Amino acid sequence: MLELLVAIVFLTVVFMIMGVRVVRQGYVYTIERLGKFTLAAQPGLHVIIPFVDRVGQKVNVMEQVLDIPGQEIITADNAMVGVDAVVFFQVLDAGKAAYEVSNLYQAIMALTTTNLRTVMGSMDLDETLSKRDEINARLLSVVDHATSPWGVKITRVEIKDIRPPLDISEAMARQMKAERLKRAEILEAEGARASQILRAEGEKQSAILEAEGRREAAFRDAEAREREAEAEAKATQMVSDAIAGSGSQAINYFVAQEYTKAIGKFADSKNAKTILFPVEATQLIGSLGGIGELVRDAIGGPGSGPANPASPARPPARPGVPPAGGER
C-alpha cells in the first residue's frame, strides 16, 4: 500500500509539472485543447491540463523586420531596375497569425514583392528614382490592408536600393555633368552681367559727378571773371576820374609808369648778359621829366609855374616825345 501511495503522489507531481507553462516576454503561446485553439497565453505562468491541452505555436509579437530579396522590375518606360526593400511588421492577434495563414513570413514576402512590382511597374525610371516616399506610402497602404485579416500590422515599408542598368547610369552621369556645366555657365554669365551693370553704374555716377564738377567750376570761373571785370571796370573808372581831374598830366604819368615797367622786364631774363635798348628807349627820359613836373605841380615846389614867373612855361610832355630843348 505504501508503495502504491508513493507512486500516486509521484504521478500527481509529474502531472502537475507537465501542466505548468511559462510564456516568455514578447511571445504569445496558442493553447489547443484536443486540437482546437482555445486560448492565447500571454507572457507569464499558465497551468494547462496535460494530455488534453497543449501549446500550439509560439508567436512572436515584437516588431519584426523582413528583408525582401532583390527584384528585377521593368518600369513603364521599359527600363529594368533592381530593387531591394525591407518590411517592418508586428503581430497584433496571435490566433489569426497562427491559424489564418500557413506561413506568415512567406506570405508577407510574396505579398510585398508582387505589390512592389505593381507599383513600380506603373512608373517610369525617373519617377522610381525620385519618388521613393510615394512608392513607400503606396506599398504600405496596400500591404497593410492585405495583411489585416492575418492579425498583422505593417508599420513601415522602405526601399533600400534601386539599381538602374549600367548604360542608363552612365547616361544619367553625363546628363548630370552637362546640367552642372550649364548651371556653372549660367552663373558665370549672370556674374559677368552683374559686373558690367555695376561697372556701368559706376561710370554713370562718375560722369554725373564729373559733369556736376565742371558745372560748379564753370559757375566759379564765371563768378571770378565777373568779379575781375567789376574790379577792372572800377579801376578804369578811377583812372577816368583821375584823367578828368588832372588832364593830360595824369595820362603822362600812367603812360610813363607802364613804359618803365616794360623796360624793366628786359633785365628779368636769366640768360641776358647784354641789353640793347632801341632808339625809342631814350624817350623814357622825357617821360620821366614829365613825371617830375607832375610831382612839382602836386607839391608846389620851386620851379613850378606860379612860384617862378621868370621861368618860361613848358608845354606838357607827350608820351614818346621828349620835351623841346631837352637832353637825350
Side-chain angles (χ1 to χ4, degrees):
M1 285 296 295
L2 183 58
E3 294 177 357
L4 180 60
L5 182 59
V6 172
I8 293 173
V9 171
F10 178 75
L11 291 175
T12 303
V13 173
V14 172
F15 185 80
M16 292 178 65
I17 291 174
M18 292 177 61
V20 175
R21 292 290 185 271
V22 177
V23 181
R24 293 183 298 166
Q25 183 66 38
Y27 286 85
V28 173
Y29 293 176
T30 59
I31 305 301
E32 299 176 357
R33 178 168 293 174
L34 300 177
K36 181 182 179 181
F37 170 71
T38 57
L39 177 66
Q42 300 297 324
L45 180 64
H46 295 271
V47 178
I48 62 175
I49 302 174
F51 305 108
V52 177
D53 297 336
R54 73 179 186 89
V55 176
Q57 293 188 21
K58 300 178 180 180
V59 181
N60 187 348
V61 295
M62 295 181 289
E63 187 172 1
Q64 303 176 63
V65 180
L66 183 61
D67 192 3
I68 306 300
Q71 305 291 321
E72 297 293 333
I73 299 175
I74 299 177
T75 61
D77 53 353
N78 297 325
M80 183 172 292
V81 296
V83 181
D84 295 334
V86 290
V87 178
F88 296 83
F89 69 95
Q90 185 177 11
V91 176
L92 301 180
D93 192 334
K96 292 182 178 181
Y99 301 105
E100 293 293 336
V101 60
S102 176
N103 189 333
L104 180 63
Y105 298 99
Q106 188 66 31
I108 294 176
M109 184 180 297
L111 187 63
T112 304
T113 301
T114 54
N115 284 279
L116 182 62
R117 292 178 180 273
T118 302
V119 171
M120 297 189 65
S122 62
M123 306 170 68
D124 57 23
L125 179 61
D126 292 337
E127 291 178 339
T128 58
L129 295 175
S130 61
K131 297 183 178 180
R132 291 196 180 190
D133 293 338
E134 181 179 346
I135 296 173
N136 295 335
R138 292 174 61 180
L139 281 175
L140 177 61
S141 176
V142 173
V143 176
D144 183 56
H145 179 72
T147 56
S148 58
W150 303 340
V152 176
K153 174 65 177 177
I154 305 298
T155 58
R156 188 179 303 174
V157 179
E158 296 288 343
I159 301 297
K160 289 197 305 183
D161 187 23
I162 299 178
R163 300 179 300 278
L166 182 60
D167 55 346
I168 295 180
S169 299
E170 294 177 353
M172 292 174 63
R174 291 195 299 270
Q175 180 183 2
M176 180 183 65
K177 182 179 179 180
E179 184 68 23
R180 293 184 180 276
L181 290 176
K182 175 184 175 182
R183 292 179 183 177
E185 292 177 356
I186 291 174
L187 291 176
E188 184 177 358
E190 290 180 352
R193 183 184 65 179
S195 176
Q196 292 177 359
I197 291 174
L198 292 177
R199 188 178 296 109
E201 288 290 339
E203 293 176 355
K204 175 183 175 181
Q205 294 296 329
S206 176
I208 292 173
L209 294 176
E210 184 178 357
E212 291 180 352
R214 289 197 302 269
R215 183 181 66 178
E216 184 67 22
F219 287 161
R220 298 298 176 86
D221 291 342
E223 185 178 359
R225 288 194 300 271
E226 182 180 359
R227 298 296 175 82
E228 185 178 358
E230 291 178 356
E232 186 69 22
K234 187 174 181 180
T236 303
Q237 183 63 36
M238 294 177 66
V239 171
S240 299
D241 293 341
I243 293 174
S246 301
S248 60
Q249 295 177 356
I251 297 175
N252 291 333
Y253 172 77
F254 289 119
V255 170
Q257 184 181 16
E258 295 298 326
Y259 198 82
T260 303
K261 291 180 180 180
I263 294 300
K265 291 182 179 180
F266 282 105
D268 291 341
S269 177
K270 298 180 180 179
N271 298 325
K273 297 181 179 179
T274 303
I275 301 175
L276 299 177
F277 288 95
V279 177
E280 290 78 4
T282 58
Q283 297 177 0
L284 177 61
I285 301 173
S287 298
L288 294 176
I291 295 173
E293 292 180 1
L294 290 176
V295 173
R296 286 194 299 271
D297 292 341
I299 62 176
S304 59
N308 191 6
S311 299
R314 295 181 181 180
R318 289 181 296 173
V321 179
E327 296 180 359
R328 290 182 178 269

